[in-house]
Amino acid sequence: MMDLLQGLNQAQREAVTATEGFVRVIAGAGSGKTRALTRRFAFLVNELGILPGNILCVTFTNKAAAEMRQRIHQMTGDNDTGIINTFHGFCVSVLQEDSHAVQYPKSFLVLDNADIDAMLQIIYEERGLTLRNMTFSAARDMIEVRKLFKDPKYYEDMITLPLDTLREKYEQATSTSDIIFYGYLYQEKKCFGLDYNDLIKFSLYIFHEHEDIRRKWQQRLEYIMIDEFQDIDQLQYELMEVLCGYHKNLFIVGDPDQTIYTWRGANVKYLLDFDKAFPGTKTIMMMQNYRSTPQILAAANALIDKNQHRIKKDMIPTLADGAQVVCHFAQTQEAEAAWMAGEMQRLHEEGMVYRDMTVLYRAHYVTRAVEEVLLREKIPYTIYSGVPFFGRMEIKDALSYLRMIVYQDDLSFRRIANVPKRNLGKRRMAFLQEYAEQHGCSLYRALQDNIEDALFKGTRARQFVTLIQSFAEDSEGRPVSEVLSAILNASGYEAMLRTEGSQERLDNLAELKQSVYLYETTCGEECTLEHYLSHVALLTNGDTAEQGDKVKLMTVHAAKGLEFPCVFLCGMNEGIFPSRKVRTLPGMEEERRLAFVALTRAEQRLYLSEADGRNFDGSPRYPSRFVLDIGRDLLAFTAPPQEGLIREAEDYIAGTQRFFPAQDSDAVFSVGQRVRHLMFGEGTVLEVDMDNGAHLVQFDDMPTPRKISFRARLDRC
């Protein structure tokens, strides 16, 4: 026993040994909650004799689950590490064991977005719908909203209705959303497919309808532990309530200041009100921080304290004093990246290995300038939960279009001849391959030679050849940036991304265009397509160092739960971090919590940086309010910030904040909510448009719906 409790502080010991009843742990960043969770599991097994198979431990990522299994195996020596899984992973286990209760086979299919889009394609073709009716991205969102809010009992149709009846419901639907929704349910049932919402809904259905199965699982799960409880949503909460209904041993861990998934349905009230829902709850506060220096914690505490809706608490440092938090204001993105690279080289010369350095950012497109500089300076790096900028699908596709103009090479041809879809599938590509081999020519030449063949009738092969030909003839002397924009438009590539709703990919393309323009203006000679493609070929060569010792690059969301000796948090600009999409006060508080998560990943050194200049839309860039929130006294600036810039930033922030709605957590209503407007009276929320900051409301006394800005007052009926 002593081994398991050794080295734990008082709060951690309490968390490990408080095994019975309802226990809530409020755990600050870096307070050792994973350590407490794994020790508690081992304590239950080694000291109390509980069988691992009777313990459920819920994490929020598969990666966290895998790490926990490994740690527990090391402590217990048992290959049976219980049920350590995500909520969705656990539901897959339930359904595999008890799928007979919903007349589904054990070999049901778990659907991802690509599967859903393939089903949507079938529905659109059957019912003559186009992407003008609804994009696939919007359709996926609509289906999710209907499943969660508008038709929350949809699963009963999937479970109880015969396939033919479900088909009839689909065929009789007249509105676009009904067609898509019932068509999707039909397609799901037809192939025994379940999406993420279905997994939990079906599990809950089984537990509600079959007392024997519910009791079996309740009795099996003697102890339940749930990590990251601040990120739990309504369905997960309902599942948890059912599962702990017999033994009533439930242990939860969370930090309200790290709630960063409300856009996915997370609701921090489940953590905050846990003691009200479960009387007799024991609450343990774990506030001692073992990760970060006092200087880093002071900056993080100052930042999060600006949020109004939180439990007031400060993390308590346990480490010795370290370096001050450094802040750098750069003139351009390239200068920002160059400064970061310079600091990395200096730290490396001082003895810090590259793998101890991590670059964090709000969105993937921010990495372009960073990657270019790291490649140039031969600083090795790797991208976590993402693909290197020049290795991303849309970037490789765009460059392949440029290569086709110049080289008409087979690699590029294979990559983009059928992107967007031109009906040049496997059979036709195999024909071209055979012809090219027989005649010793390129695939593109093979297509040109056979364009009149009956095989290519009904395809868009001719349009592709015409596209490449016209650009090959007309591109000489034109700026590369202009050619790139023109071919992405003329090929239909950007239109394809827009219809898919792939905003991140479009942002990456905008960043690529910006980088091409910058290259043109700085290369000091006439910049031809060939010049640029040679330049890019060097950038795409990532073999810059031995395996292992590499700087890590990742989004802040990907860094959740991780820690790093040295963190560079870049792109600290208004419109980047916080995101330009934030339109409400609750949304801004969530962004601030995300920034708090970023700061608290750092152990020894923390660098913040931003770049002046212009955004994609031509608007000026300002330093992030989160830098200003921390305060000058807690930051070491590389150069004194310009007073004029700070004042402009403050004025800009005040101006944007002025238009945020006065309401806080009630500013955004859910679909189906009844609301009252001062002039229009009562109505029902049909949609929530987060990008434009508005509710679509059908008012009772008006023939058509209206989009009402978040800044306008709406009251709950």
Side-chain angles (χ1 to χ4, degrees):
M1 186 190 298
M2 285 309 296
D3 283 346
L4 286 175
L5 300 181
Q6 194 173 5
L8 301 182
N9 64 33
Q10 184 58 37
Q12 290 170 331
R13 280 175 180 246
E14 272 189 78
V16 169
T17 56
T19 59
E20 307 308 301
F22 299 103
V23 182
R24 172 178 62 176
V25 178
I26 305 291
S31 60
K33 66 180 178 67
T34 305
R35 193 181 195 203
L37 269 169
T38 50
R39 295 274 188 107
R40 187 176 195 272
F41 194 112
F43 184 84
L44 287 169
V45 174
N46 293 359
E47 303 302 327
L48 303 190
I50 305 299
L51 295 172
N54 296 123
I55 306 171
L56 168 65
C57 184
V58 179
T59 64
F60 265 75
T61 65
N62 292 313
K63 184 172 179 282
E67 285 177 0
M68 195 162 286
R69 282 189 212 105
Q70 193 177 359
R71 289 195 192 191
I72 287 166
H73 171 67
Q74 287 169 348
M75 276 187 273
T76 62
D78 200 324
N79 286 326
D80 180 2
T81 52
I83 309 170
I84 303 172
N85 219 323
T86 62
F87 274 111
H88 295 109
F90 169 72
C91 288
V92 169
S93 302
V94 171
L95 291 168
Q96 283 174 338
E97 188 169 316
D98 293 303
S99 60
H100 61 275
V102 287
Q103 295 82 54
Y104 268 55
K106 290 189 188 298
S107 57
F108 62 88
L109 181 68
V110 180
L111 304 172
D112 61 18
N113 277 353
D115 300 318
I116 297 169
D117 286 354
M119 289 178 177
L120 291 172
Q121 188 68 47
I122 296 167
I123 297 162
Y124 279 42
E125 287 172 5
E126 283 185 350
R127 299 300 299 268
L129 298 177
T130 71
L131 295 168
R132 288 192 183 89
N133 296 100
M134 195 179 293
T135 67
F136 283 2
S137 175
R140 290 196 303 269
D141 289 347
M142 179 273 293
I143 291 166
E144 185 166 15
V145 165
R146 283 190 67 156
K147 283 186 170 185
L148 291 174
F149 304 110
K150 195 175 174 186
D151 299 287
K153 295 203 169 195
Y154 74 90
Y155 58 92
E156 293 179 358
D157 281 359
M158 289 178 70
I159 294 167
T160 60
L161 293 183
L163 190 61
D164 289 348
T165 311
L166 203 52
R167 172 95 193 172
E168 281 171 26
K169 241 181 151 171
Y170 159 51
E171 287 174 343
Q172 289 164 9
T174 53
S175 71
T176 299
S177 62
D178 279 357
I179 290 169
I180 294 170
F181 184 66
Y182 289 111
Y184 176 66
L185 296 190
Y186 168 72
Q187 290 293 336
E188 275 197 291
K189 180 146 185 170
K190 190 178 169 187
C191 72
F192 295 115
L194 297 173
D195 62 27
Y196 276 23
N197 285 315
D198 302 331
L199 293 172
I200 297 187
K201 284 278 194 180
F202 273 49
S203 299
L204 283 169
Y205 174 87
I206 291 173
F207 292 148
H208 288 147
E209 297 296 317
H210 299 271
E211 188 180 348
D212 56 331
I213 297 174
R214 179 178 76 242
R215 184 51 58 100
K216 174 187 72 175
W217 283 96
Q218 286 178 330
Q219 289 180 344
R220 184 184 299 177
L221 304 177
E222 296 175 1
Y223 294 88
I224 298 171
M225 301 191 284
I226 302 177
D227 195 11
E228 306 286 3
F229 199 79
Q230 74 278 352
D231 292 327
I232 202 167
D233 64 26
Q234 185 182 337
L235 287 179
Q236 293 163 344
Y237 186 84
E238 286 175 26
L239 185 65
M240 174 210 76
E241 277 189 302
V242 172
L243 293 174
C244 72
Y246 183 74
H247 294 290
K248 296 182 168 50
N249 289 325
L250 178 59
F251 176 89
I252 67 160
V253 185
D255 180 5
D257 287 333
Q258 295 187 69
T259 306
I260 60 173
Y261 290 115
T262 57
W263 51 276
R264 267 188 350 205
N267 194 332
V268 73
K269 77 173 185 181
Y270 294 130
L271 174 62
L272 298 179
D273 297 341
F274 187 84
D275 55 334
K276 299 184 184 70
F278 300 96
T281 291
K282 179 183 179 70
T283 296
I284 300 166
M285 303 292 285
M286 282 172 45
M287 291 298 115
Q288 284 181 277
N289 179 289
Y290 295 92
R291 177 185 298 157
S292 308
T293 63
Q295 286 74 9
I296 293 168
L297 286 187
N301 284 332
L303 171 71
I304 200 63
D305 195 50
K306 299 298 187 294
N307 271 4
Q308 299 301 306
H309 300 95
R310 63 183 289 263
I311 298 173
K312 292 282 185 185
K313 59 182 177 64
D314 278 346
M315 295 172 295
I316 303 160
T318 60
L319 302 185
D321 274 350
Q324 279 190 285
V325 178
V326 176
C327 186
H328 181 73
F329 287 180
Q331 294 296 307
T332 64
Q333 280 178 286
E334 285 63 36
E336 179 187 14
W339 172 79
M340 287 163 60
E343 284 298 301
M344 289 173 189
Q345 288 168 327
R346 185 180 64 76
L347 290 167
H348 193 250
E349 285 165 11
E350 289 176 4
M352 184 181 284
V353 291
Y354 283 126
R355 63 176 170 271
D356 283 351
M357 306 176 203
T358 302
V359 180
L360 299 183
Y361 38 85
R362 178 66 176 87
H364 280 299
Y365 69 85
V366 173
T367 69
R368 192 272 309 166
V370 179
E371 289 186 66
E372 283 198 8
V373 171
L374 294 181
L375 285 163
R376 189 181 70 218
E377 297 298 325
K378 295 186 170 50
I379 296 174
Y381 72 90
T382 183
I383 297 250
Y384 278 56
S385 292
V387 179
F389 186 86
F390 287 100
R392 289 172 197 163
M393 179 196 85
E394 62 279 10
I395 303 301
K396 290 178 82 166
D397 288 350
L399 295 175
S400 292
Y401 269 107
L402 292 184
R403 282 172 54 132
M404 279 301 298
I405 296 171
V406 180
Y407 305 119
Q408 287 101 50
D409 64 293
D410 284 1
L411 280 174
S412 301
F413 182 91
R414 285 182 193 280
R415 186 169 187 93
I416 50 91
N418 206 35
V419 182
K421 292 279 191 295
R422 299 186 177 94
N423 209 13
L424 296 172
K426 285 182 183 174
R427 184 166 65 95
R428 292 183 174 96
M429 291 297 271
F431 171 86
L432 293 175
Q433 181 70 40
E434 191 177 339
Y435 182 93
E437 285 172 4
Q438 287 174 356
H439 293 81
C441 65
S442 69
L443 292 172
Y444 180 72
R445 184 56 196 252
L447 182 60
Q448 286 177 304
D449 290 355
N450 292 280
I451 204 75
E452 300 298 340
D453 193 292
L455 185 63
F456 295 96
K457 195 175 177 183
T459 73
R460 296 184 61 218
R462 186 179 293 281
Q463 289 96 318
F464 179 66
V465 168
T466 304
L467 174 83
I468 300 302
Q469 216 54 43
S470 63
F471 272 87
E473 290 165 5
D474 297 337
S475 295
E476 197 169 341
R478 288 174 72 187
V480 179
S481 52
E482 188 183 300
V483 175
L484 177 63
S485 292
I487 199 160
L488 290 176
N489 179 51
S491 63
Y493 188 84
E494 280 194 324
M496 175 191 78
L497 294 185
R498 279 194 290 274
T499 55
E500 289 174 359
S502 303
Q503 189 55 51
E504 184 173 299
R505 296 194 188 283
L506 288 165
D507 284 348
N508 285 334
L509 287 180
E511 185 67 25
L512 178 68
K513 291 173 191 174
Q514 208 168 41
S515 77
V516 173
Y517 178 73
L518 187 77
Y519 178 73
E520 286 171 333
T521 56
T522 57
C523 72
E525 57 184 319
E526 185 188 358
C527 178
T528 64
L529 256 176
E530 289 92 333
H531 281 137
Y532 177 70
L533 289 167
S534 303
H535 163 74
V536 169
L538 295 172
L539 289 179
T540 55
N541 179 13
D543 304 324
T544 51
E546 73 279 4
Q547 201 67 21
D549 190 23
K550 297 179 179 181
V551 175
K552 297 183 229 358
L553 275 64
M554 67 184 80
T555 65
V556 182
H557 279 103
K560 177 83 181 290
L562 304 177
E563 56 191 27
F564 316 101
C566 175
V567 168
F568 291 84
L569 178 56
C570 63
M572 292 299 284
N573 289 89
E574 289 290 307
I576 299 177
F577 203 0
S579 165
R580 63 185 184 276
K581 293 179 180 176
V582 177
R583 305 263 181 168
T584 66
L585 285 173
M588 188 56 73
E589 294 219 338
E590 174 135 342
E591 281 289 290
R592 190 172 281 107
R593 289 195 294 270
L594 187 60
F596 172 79
V597 167
L599 266 60
T600 53
R601 299 311 92 197
E603 297 172 328
Q604 300 163 20
R605 292 177 179 269
L606 175 61
Y607 297 86
L608 311 177
S609 61
E610 66 89 50
D612 299 341
R614 299 274 167 185
N615 293 307
F616 296 148
D617 60 4
S619 59
R621 278 187 168 169
Y622 295 109
S624 168
R625 66 192 68 199
F626 302 148
V627 173
L628 306 185
D629 285 346
I630 295 169
R632 296 190 190 191
D633 56 328
L634 298 176
L635 297 172
F637 288 91
T638 54
Q642 296 174 8
E643 288 304 322
L645 177 66
I646 299 296
R647 275 196 302 276
E648 282 178 35
E650 288 170 343
D651 290 346
Y652 171 81
I653 294 162
T656 57
Q657 199 99 347
R658 195 166 32 251
F659 296 113
F660 283 177
Q663 301 127 298
D664 45 43
S665 58
D666 295 326
V668 182
F669 295 101
S670 58
V671 172
Q673 176 66 53
R674 294 284 293 169
V675 293
R676 186 182 295 106
H677 186 277
L678 187 65
M679 295 292 291
F680 301 146
E682 293 186 3
T684 304
V685 176
L686 301 182
E687 290 177 16
V688 182
D689 182 349
M690 295 304 294
D691 286 347
N692 292 305
H695 298 100
L696 183 67
V697 183
Q698 178 62 72
F699 292 103
D700 300 349
D701 297 331
M702 300 178 79
T704 55
R706 297 286 185 275
K707 272 205 173 176
I708 306 297
S709 166
F710 288 165
R711 69 181 76 167
R713 176 159 183 158
L714 285 175
D715 293 316
R716 201 179 290 267
C717 286

